[in-house]
Structures are given as structure tokens and as C-alpha cells.
Amino acid sequence: MVPVSFEGCSGSFHRARGTRGIVICSSFGFEDICARKSLVLLAHDLAARGVNVLRFDYFGTGDALGGPLHPQQVETWIANIRAAADWLKVNAHVTDVSLVGLRLGALLAAKAAPAIDDLSQLTLIAPPLSGKAWLREAQAFSAMIAPPLGETEARSSANNEIALAGYRMTGETAAGIKALAWPSFDTLPASVLILSREQTQEAEAVAERIGGKADVLPFTGYGAMMCDVTASEPPLATLASLAERLARGNSLRDHEPTAPPCLPLNGPDFVETPVHIGGDGPINGIFCRPAGGEKRRNIIVLCNAGGIPRSGWGRMHVDLARKLARFGTSSLRIDLPGLADSAWPGGPSTVATISQDLSTRISAVIDWLKERGFSEISIAGACSGAYHAFRTALVDPRIDRLVLLNQVSFAWSATHAMKLSAWQKSKAREMQTKMSALDSDEQAASEAAKLMARLFPIAKSLARSTLEALMSLSAKANSVLAQQNPVEAAFHAIAGRGTKILLVYSENDAGLAELERHMSAYLEGDGINAAALPSVSKHILRGADHMLTQPQAREEFSDLVCRFVDQRSTVRTDEMERAFRAGQAA
């Protein structure tokens, strides 16, 4: 797998010896990141069977250039798919191309298909009935993902934006999606495969709308794959069956195509370059530097959380990295081992990443940065990303600053494992219930969404309170047995070396209870006892959920990080302050 870029898009090319090329067209927002791991595995399997595969982020999404306010997004995304097919023909020298589209990506792929020469097959995974139906369902899911502060109906009166679980789009983009309809079979390639998600009739309806000349097969395991970003379970058997089918008739050549150079993505204030760090099972990331070069030799590493790719929830890490670059600070956003584009040595792992010790792998990233002259290094992470940053700082004294967002665990235990396992098992069942409710007429789906938005938080709260009680007892027992609090000792060890620590929590976040268990002697309201731990500070984000789904929460967090990192070895100048304000307003 090698990084590539084209038309402002960022992608990954899985090289193979075959004459066939496949473009994977993902969905948008929450659906995109839930399916990311499964689509990576599909691409690896296809490449192993000799099929060249290109995965990519549409313009304005993921690691690509642009943003949610870019005009004519739908037309741009369709053009991106066509450009991806052309890229495969030129760089992989394939003689036929196939498209594999997921959800909204399936509809976009069908719209792009008629203009792609030598297109041999179109595979549609869980295709929506229409663009309007997809947007309605995405809005319903958005209300369920962040129910207490749900932004499903929220629109900015100034720019007519819509927020879907933290992922933004303009009213113009929403209108463009609503206008999407299935083309007739006459304009599509000779072979069309539709994979149906469980307990829905969408696939048959789509087949009828395009003329009925399509093979329809079940996509077993869809609910478990799409239930949650972190709890997602790739349907390995289904993916293997699909890869075997897509590879039929592929001819093999003597060698793989030469890896093309990956051109940097140049923005107005930044330059971004993909990087591979380490040999066996490398960590993959995006190095973002100011357009005029680094003004100071400090850098911040942004660790992803759970199953969320390095772009961050709602593109939080992308926006933060480019904002930092505006006033002269470099950054490196990475996929931790086993997540998204970074694999474990020897291949994919099904073990929860949070339960692994990643300190050695993260220290290898610090080695890489030190070799390139960066003298001051910060690490930031949310949830499990914060956990790994914290544990790395405990054993690696080269970390100068830590930003820990909504950290829910400081020391992994059997009780934490039990809580994670119970939550993961419940997510697939929850998703299946949601899908069944939404597979009905629009009014019924709307009412079901409202009901579930009220009921699911109650059920989760009851389960969480029980498990948190067990965790509290476990923490107290461990403290008594050890005659000390190991987390408290860890804070003193890290801060005692001069490492600055910024703790950021959303109000009422579950991580606050964990912090209270271990560090209650140092907490003072919303802050930290400065006399006892002068290197540690704490900030509460009001009106924010765990993953900062709310745009204003992400903006407030990015301000905190920018100012925290910029306090290092320089004094803020008027020019830097103006640049910071410009970044804040962008």
C-alpha cells in the first residue's frame, strides 16, 4: 500500500500484478469511518488476489484538500471518482476498471459510471433508495449518535449548514444529495452487483429502479460493521466472498506496477505529505507543516481514538493541523497500529487497540521526529488516544507536552476490558434495531428516530452506572493492595520531569469520574491544585459530548491546543497573534 494524491484528493494505492483495477467509493461522515477498517481489509484481500485497488477521500473530506463549505460538492465527488479511475489506468496500467460503492458512495459511483471507459463492473453495497432517502436516514442516525445535544435539525441561519454527527455540509450540498436518483440500466456497465443489508428491501427496489438486470446478494454482517466506529466488526467471510467474486477473470502480469510518487497536497497555509514510520507494520500518518517551512522546531503528534481514522471525528484533527500551520507549528496526525491505514506487524489484528501497549510504537514516531530536527514534541489524543499518549509519556521522557481529551482510562484493567466488551456486544444489536425502524416510510422512521433518541441514552446510562460502580470498587481495591495510587504516581512522574499536561473534559463526561477516582486530592472545582501539581492544568468544555460532535466544542478545543503548544520556547508576536485569530475565524 502506497499513498497517492490526485485532484486534491488523498488516497492509498494497493498495488498488484493484475490487469484489473478497482476504485472503492466510500460513503460520507459516520458511515465512512465505521466502514473504513472493513474497506481497508477488502482492499488488502483484493491486492493479494492480484487486483489493483485505489481508496481515496473525496475532496473536502478526510485528508483531502478543501472543506465542507466548498461549493458544488456533489458534482466534485462524482468527478473525483472518474479521476480515480483515470489515475488507475495511467499509473497501474489496468485494462478494465470496476467501482465498489458503499451507501452514498454507491449512488455517486452509479452517477460517475457512464462516463468511465472500460468499466466492467459496478458493485453497490447497501445502496439507498435515493439521495433523499440517504440524507433522511443520516439525519436520523445523527440524532441517535449524540442525543443529548443532537444537532440533526440544527442549521446555521448564516450559512445554511447541516451537521450530521459532527460532519458538516452546506444546504447546497444537501440539496445536491437529495437530487441524486438512480440512472437506468442502459447507461450502466454490463455487470451490476447489489449487496443488500440485513432486514431491508432496498436492494430489490434499487435493482427495479435501474431496470432489474442486476445480481442481488446479501451482505451478511452489515449491522455489526456499521454499528459504531470502535465497535465495528469487519464481516470477514462476506468480504472474502466479495473479493473472490471481484477477482474473477483478472489476468496477472509478471510484476506489480511501479509505485508513483506521491505529490504533496498544497493548501493556502500548509503543505501535507503522507509518511510511513517504522518497518514491519509501519505507522502511517500525514505530516503537516506551514507553507513557508517550520518557523520553530516544535511539533505536535495527533493520535487517533478508538476506530476513528487519523482525520479525527468530524475532521477535527485535519482542521486542527491546518490551523496550527497558519501560525507556524507543524503537526503529525497518525493512525495508531491496527487502525485504518496502520497495521499490526504480520497483518490485521482483531484485538482492541486500547488493551495493547503501544508506547514502543509511539516512541518510534518520536525517534523519527528527533532525527528530523524537532526539539520539542507534544502529543495529543482523545479517549483511547489520550490513554496511549499518557502511557507513552510515562516511559518516554522526550515528550514535552501532553493534551489529554476525555481520557476514560489511565490504567487498563480487567474491569475496563469487561466494560468495553459489554459495550461492543450491545452496539451491533442496537444498530440492527435502528435499521429495522428506519426501513419504513418517512414519517414512521422520523417517529422511531425520536423514540430511540430518548430511550437509548437511558439504557446506556443504566448500564454505564453499574459498570462504573464496579470500576470504582476495583480502583479502591487496587489502591489498598498497592498501598498507593499508581495513577497519582504516574502524574507526579510525568509532571516531575517538566512535562506540561493539559486535561480537557466535556462537561459530564464519563472520564471525569475516572479522574476523580484517582486524582480527587488534586481537583479544585474545574481546575487542578496548582501548588500540588503545577505542571498540570484542566479545562471543561461546556455543551460538548465525548467526541466533540458539536462544531463549537471542536473550535474551543483547537484554540486550547494552539495556545498550549505555542507557549514553548518563543514569545507570541503580533504577527503570530494575527495569524492565530485568522485561524480561529477560518
Side-chain angles (χ1 to χ4, degrees):
M1 181 182 68
V2 295
V4 300
S5 60
F6 60 92
E7 303 288 333
C9 298
S10 175
S12 295
F13 173 41
H14 300 254
R15 291 185 294 165
R17 295 192 296 121
T19 58
R20 176 168 298 160
I22 289 181
V23 177
I24 293 182
C25 312
S26 190
S27 192
F28 175 85
F30 182 74
E31 289 182 340
D32 169 37
I33 60 177
C34 278
R36 182 68 61 105
K37 184 175 183 179
S38 294
L39 294 182
V40 170
L41 293 176
L42 175 62
H44 280 300
D45 193 346
L46 284 166
R49 298 172 189 268
V51 179
N52 293 278
V53 182
L54 177 60
R55 299 182 294 109
F56 72 99
D57 293 326
Y58 304 109
F59 189 88
T61 72
D63 290 318
L65 293 178
L69 304 185
H70 194 271
Q72 298 180 329
Q73 286 282 59
V74 175
E75 293 84 351
T76 299
W77 295 341
I78 294 170
N80 291 159
I81 294 173
R82 294 168 180 158
D86 289 340
W87 189 97
L88 271 179
K89 293 176 184 177
V90 172
N91 293 280
H93 310 293
V94 298
T95 56
D96 73 86
V97 177
S98 296
L99 303 180
V100 175
L102 171 71
R103 299 291 292 146
L104 178 62
L107 195 48
L108 296 172
K111 300 297 285 187
I116 298 176
D117 295 331
D118 303 316
L119 187 66
S120 61
Q121 187 171 47
L122 180 63
T123 300
L124 312 174
I125 301 176
L129 292 174
S130 63
K132 182 179 180 181
W134 178 87
L135 186 61
R136 173 180 59 79
E137 186 171 323
Q139 289 178 302
F141 275 2
S142 180
M144 300 171 199
I145 293 165
L149 306 166
E151 42 181 327
T152 306
E153 304 298 332
R155 293 173 182 241
S156 168
S157 58
N159 52 26
N160 197 31
E161 282 186 45
I162 294 175
L164 301 175
Y167 290 85
R168 302 156 60 200
M169 66 171 60
T170 63
E172 178 198 51
T173 299
I177 291 174
K178 287 181 180 179
L180 289 174
W182 291 101
S184 68
F185 181 81
D186 293 339
T187 64
L188 295 177
S191 178
V192 179
L193 172 64
I194 303 179
L195 299 176
S196 174
R197 57 181 180 172
E198 300 106 327
Q199 300 181 18
T200 72
Q201 302 300 316
E202 290 173 322
E204 291 77 6
V206 170
E208 183 178 348
R209 292 185 184 189
I210 65 174
K213 300 177 181 179
D215 293 331
V216 179
L217 297 174
F219 190 91
T220 305
Y222 178 88
M225 178 180 76
M226 301 297 282
C227 65
D228 181 86
V229 181
T230 301
S232 175
E233 297 179 11
L236 299 180
T238 300
L239 295 174
S241 177
L242 176 59
E244 188 276 331
R245 183 182 179 105
L246 292 174
R248 292 175 190 171
N250 178 45
S251 301
L252 298 182
R253 296 170 290 199
D254 293 334
H255 55 81
E256 295 179 352
T258 303
C262 181
L263 301 177
L265 291 178
N266 296 290
D269 307 297
F270 61 87
V271 177
E272 292 190 339
T273 308
V275 296
H276 297 282
I277 302 173
D280 186 19
I283 285 181
N284 292 310
I286 302 291
F287 173 54
C288 180
R289 63 177 178 83
E294 294 86 4
K295 297 179 176 62
R296 301 182 299 286
R297 302 308 293 171
N298 66 322
I299 190 168
I300 183 168
V301 180
L302 305 174
C303 300
N304 56 345
I308 302 169
R310 63 193 174 221
S311 56
W313 187 273
R315 285 189 105 200
M316 179 170 70
H317 285 176
V318 174
D319 294 337
L320 174 56
R322 294 172 183 178
K323 183 174 184 176
L324 284 161
R326 291 189 187 105
F327 62 97
T329 298
S330 298
S331 62
L332 175 64
R333 54 185 188 270
I334 62 174
D335 287 322
L336 291 172
L339 298 175
D341 282 346
S342 296
W344 284 107
S349 171
T350 57
V351 180
T353 306
I354 191 173
S355 66
Q356 304 298 301
D357 181 3
L358 301 184
S359 58
T360 301
R361 308 301 295 275
I362 298 176
S363 287
V365 173
I366 298 176
D367 293 340
W368 188 87
L369 294 173
K370 288 292 186 180
E371 290 169 1
R372 282 151 184 78
F374 288 100
S375 57
E376 296 179 323
I377 295 173
S378 301
I379 296 188
C383 193
S384 61
Y387 169 82
H388 291 302
F390 181 78
R391 304 310 297 182
T392 302
L394 186 58
V395 298
D396 195 325
R398 297 174 297 172
I399 298 173
D400 298 284
R401 290 179 183 266
L402 275 178
V403 181
L404 309 175
L405 171 64
N406 289 332
Q407 185 168 349
V408 295
S409 173
F410 294 94
W412 189 252
S413 67
T415 309
H416 287 88
M418 179 183 67
K419 181 179 181 180
L420 178 63
S421 177
W423 170 75
Q424 287 178 318
K425 290 177 180 178
S426 69
K427 291 303 290 186
R429 293 192 298 269
E430 177 183 324
M431 172 60 106
Q432 194 61 61
T433 302
K434 292 176 181 178
M435 286 195 301
S436 298
L438 292 173
D439 187 33
S440 58
D441 64 87
E442 187 168 347
Q443 180 62 33
S446 177
E447 294 303 318
K450 293 176 182 177
L451 177 61
M452 285 185 285
R454 294 194 298 270
L455 294 182
F456 276 114
I458 296 173
K460 290 178 182 177
S461 177
L462 291 173
R464 184 172 62 235
S465 62
T466 301
L467 289 167
E468 285 181 352
L470 290 172
M471 291 170 65
S472 179
L473 290 173
S474 175
K476 291 177 181 177
N478 290 338
S479 178
V480 170
L481 290 173
Q483 296 300 313
Q484 62 177 346
N485 185 327
V487 174
E488 179 183 347
F491 268 100
H492 277 284
I494 296 171
R497 295 195 299 258
T499 300
K500 303 292 185 183
I501 303 175
L502 173 62
L503 300 169
V504 183
Y505 285 95
S506 302
E507 61 178 339
N508 303 318
D509 190 82
L512 284 168
E514 185 75 355
L515 183 67
E516 173 72 24
R517 286 188 197 108
H518 296 290
M519 301 294 291
S520 57
Y522 301 90
L523 302 181
E524 294 183 343
D526 288 346
I528 296 286
N529 187 328
L533 279 173
S535 297
V536 183
S537 57
K538 177 167 161 266
H539 184 88
I540 299 295
L541 298 173
R542 306 294 177 189
D545 63 8
H546 182 67
M547 294 312 300
L548 308 194
T549 302
Q550 299 71 30
Q552 73 278 5
R554 295 198 297 276
E555 185 63 38
E556 183 179 351
F557 175 70
S558 72
D559 285 352
L560 288 170
V561 174
C562 289
R563 295 186 185 279
F564 184 68
V565 173
D566 194 47
Q567 292 172 8
R568 296 172 177 267
S569 57
T570 61
V571 176
R572 185 185 294 274
T573 64
D574 291 341
E575 179 183 0
M576 289 162 55
E577 186 63 37
R578 285 193 295 271
F580 178 80
R581 292 198 190 101
Q584 187 178 46

